[in-house]
Every structure is written in structure tokens, then in C-alpha cells.
Amino acid sequence: MSAHESPRAVIAALLANLGIAVTKVVAFLLTSSASMLAEAIHSFADCGNQGLLLLGGKRARRPPTAEHPFGFGRERYVYAFIVSIVLFSVGGLFALYEAYHKFDEVHSGHPNDLLTSRWWWVPILVLVLAMGMESFSLRTAVAESNRTRDGVGWVEFVRRAKSPELPVVLLEDVAALLGLGFALLGVGMTLLTGSGYWDVLGTAAIGLLLVTVAIILGTETKSLLLGEAAALADQRDIEAAIAGTEDGVEGLGIIHLRTLQLGPGSVLVACKIAVDSESRADEIARAIDAAEHRIRAAVPDASYVFIEPDIRRA
């Protein structure tokens, strides 16, 4: 992760999900609840996802090489995209399969193990405790996000964030809390009504939720992998920095400006500027140098700045 970021939200989510996953497995073994199994797989998938995010952050810090002259910042996007695939397949599709399998059992008249188990109260306790731990993880992610989102709405923050970790953790935690609610509804209604179809419904809802979140994550991360421009605010700051350069060169102006997000905390800036034909070479060089300094002062993430002058003839 970049210097101004902290992996605290990811680590908090990892620890919370690890504890939650173990308790859910115990609850499933005691009751054979399909909702509990789906939730256990969901939590283990989340643990793997947070591990991938931490690994991606570590590998992205490698220095540039001759083969990768702009560094490895985008590797964080690669691992975030893998997270969406894991969430879709291991979490969502497995839950949907388990719902189908459990539906077949209930439809064929197989008695629901949850109703016959003397440990029927364990899933309720586990789900309530899990909600508490997930709330702590979500609270940490929200606190970390508030340090960087600059007052924008949550939907816009998830869509426009250039660092994938916080949006991933936020969506995972929200999905986890909703999934726990679905599981609690399925288990609770099964115990109240004696019908195993409620357990099936809770499991299916968890699967659909995870598939939806995975698609959102995959779509947003794919855009970053393909190459996005810098944030609009950064682009405006760069334009203002170039326009504000005053070093004896008349007519300095932007012909075109291109930016590329190389990774979280790293932006490439390529710009062609128009200069007056009567300007001397040393004046142009000083103007470009001053523009580069202003750009880096206005946008510290501008790691690579390339400015090309274009002499305008009278």
C-alpha cells in the first residue's frame, strides 16, 4: 500500500472473518444447517480475499525494473480482481449449489437436521456474535475510508476509488452483515415454523447477494486494470499547475493532457504545451521544469511527468 494508507481495515476484517468462520463451522457440524455452511464458506472465502489483498499490497511495493519501468502498482488491481472471482465462485455459486441441494432434500421429505438437533440454539448464538464482529470490522473500514473519501458519497467512493482495498473490504463487510441477517432469518423461521424451506431460502439469498457483490467488484476492478485516468480533481489541479507556470514564456497553454492511473498513489502525466515561437530554448526548459514542480506539488501522486513543447508559429 502507498505510504499514506494503512492496511488496518484489511487486517481487522481478516481477524474478524477468521474467528467468525471457525464458529460457523462448529455450528454447522452441530446442526447441519445449510445456511450455516454457506455462511462458513463465505467467511473462509473472505479470509482468503483479505490475504490476497495484503499479498497484492506487498508485491505492488516492488521497485521498478527494466521490464516494468513504471513499477508494479497495478498488481493490487490484479489481486482485487481475483478477490471478485473467489467471491463469485467459492462464495456465491457454492451457496446457490448448497441451496439447491438442501431444497432437493426438503422436497423429498428428508427431515431437517436443525429441527432434530439438541444444539438448535447454537446457530442463533453464532450469528449474533458474528454480527458483532462484522460490525467491528465494518466500523474500522468506515473510519479508514473517511480519511480518504473527501466527503463524497459512499457509492461514488466505491466507484471512483483508485485504491481497491477499502472498497473491497467495505462491500465484503456490508455483504457479510446482510448475509448474516439472511442466515438468521432462515434459521429462525425454520425453528419457528418447522419448515426446512426457510433454511433453503436463507442460503439462496446469501448466494445471490455474494454473486451480486462479486459482479460489482469485478466490474469496478476491471476498469482500473484496463487503465483509468487520474481522478477529476487531480486532473483539474494538474491543468491549473501548468497554466500557473510563469517563467518568461508567453503563450504557455495546454494542447492536450493525458493521465493514467498506474496504481494506487501513482499517476502518469503526459502533456503537450503550446509555447510562443519567439521563446528561447532555455526559457522553454525552465517553464517545463517549473510546470513539473507545480504538478508534483499540487498532485503528489504524479510519479511520472512528461511535458512536450509545441512551438506555435506566427
Side-chain angles (χ1 to χ4, degrees):
M1 297 183 181
S2 57
H4 58 279
E5 294 175 316
S6 168
R8 184 166 58 180
V10 181
I11 294 173
L14 174 60
L15 294 176
N17 281 309
L18 189 59
I20 292 169
V22 173
T23 57
K24 288 176 181 175
V25 169
V26 173
F28 165 71
L29 293 175
L30 291 174
T31 64
S32 299
S33 168
S35 294
M36 293 309 302
L37 178 58
E39 273 297 301
I41 297 299
H42 175 193
S43 294
F44 276 120
D46 282 350
C47 289
N49 289 343
Q50 275 106 46
L52 287 171
L53 293 176
L54 292 173
L55 177 61
K58 180 179 180 180
R59 291 182 60 83
R61 290 194 294 270
R62 289 177 293 167
T65 64
E67 189 175 358
H68 298 91
F70 296 116
F72 296 86
R74 282 196 185 180
E75 193 146 5
R76 286 166 67 179
Y77 301 150
V78 173
Y79 280 87
F81 189 74
I82 294 174
V83 164
S84 68
I85 296 174
V86 172
L87 196 62
F88 181 84
S89 56
V90 178
L93 294 185
F94 179 84
L96 291 174
Y97 167 77
E98 183 61 22
Y100 171 78
H101 176 69
K102 205 68 177 182
F103 174 82
D104 189 53
E105 287 186 357
V106 174
H107 190 65
S108 62
H110 188 279
N112 190 288
D113 295 323
L114 179 62
L115 295 172
T116 59
S117 174
R118 64 190 179 95
W119 302 101
W120 60 267
W121 52 271
V122 172
I124 304 295
L125 177 62
V126 167
L127 291 171
V128 172
L129 291 176
M131 284 182 169
M133 286 187 278
E134 284 292 357
S135 297
F136 167 75
S137 175
L138 179 60
R139 180 181 178 184
T140 303
V142 168
E144 291 294 309
S145 300
N146 283 334
R147 296 169 56 188
T148 59
R149 70 187 182 101
D150 297 326
V152 301
W154 288 107
V155 174
E156 190 70 10
F157 173 71
V158 170
R159 292 190 59 198
R160 302 301 180 192
K162 304 303 182 182
S163 299
E165 289 82 6
L166 285 176
V168 168
V169 172
L170 281 169
L171 287 175
E172 281 189 347
D173 285 348
V174 171
L177 282 172
L178 289 174
L180 289 168
F182 292 149
L184 187 60
L185 176 65
V187 171
M189 291 302 295
T190 296
L191 293 172
L192 288 173
T193 65
S195 172
Y197 286 112
W198 284 103
D199 198 18
V200 172
L201 183 61
T203 307
I206 293 169
L208 291 174
L209 171 68
L210 295 181
V211 166
T212 301
V213 171
I215 291 173
I216 294 172
L217 281 178
T219 301
E220 296 303 324
T221 310
K222 183 195 74 170
S223 179
L224 291 167
L225 276 173
L226 291 175
E228 286 187 355
L232 289 175
D234 287 344
Q235 293 184 53
R236 288 193 291 266
D237 289 342
I238 291 169
E239 292 174 353
I242 294 173
T245 300
E246 296 177 2
D247 201 1
V249 176
E250 296 293 333
L252 185 66
I254 298 173
I255 298 176
H256 62 70
L257 172 68
R258 301 290 184 270
T259 62
L260 180 65
Q261 196 77 37
L262 297 173
S266 181
V267 174
L268 182 147
V269 179
C271 180
K272 177 174 283 190
I273 58 173
V275 295
D276 192 89
S277 60
E278 296 183 1
S279 300
R280 301 195 313 270
D282 61 330
E283 292 176 338
I284 296 173
R286 284 196 302 271
I288 291 175
D289 186 62
E292 289 182 3
H293 281 85
R294 286 176 181 263
I295 289 171
R296 289 193 169 94
V299 182
D301 286 349
S303 307
Y304 304 92
V305 180
F306 303 97
I307 299 178
E308 177 186 358
D310 184 84
I311 306 297
R312 295 188 299 192
R313 304 294 178 183

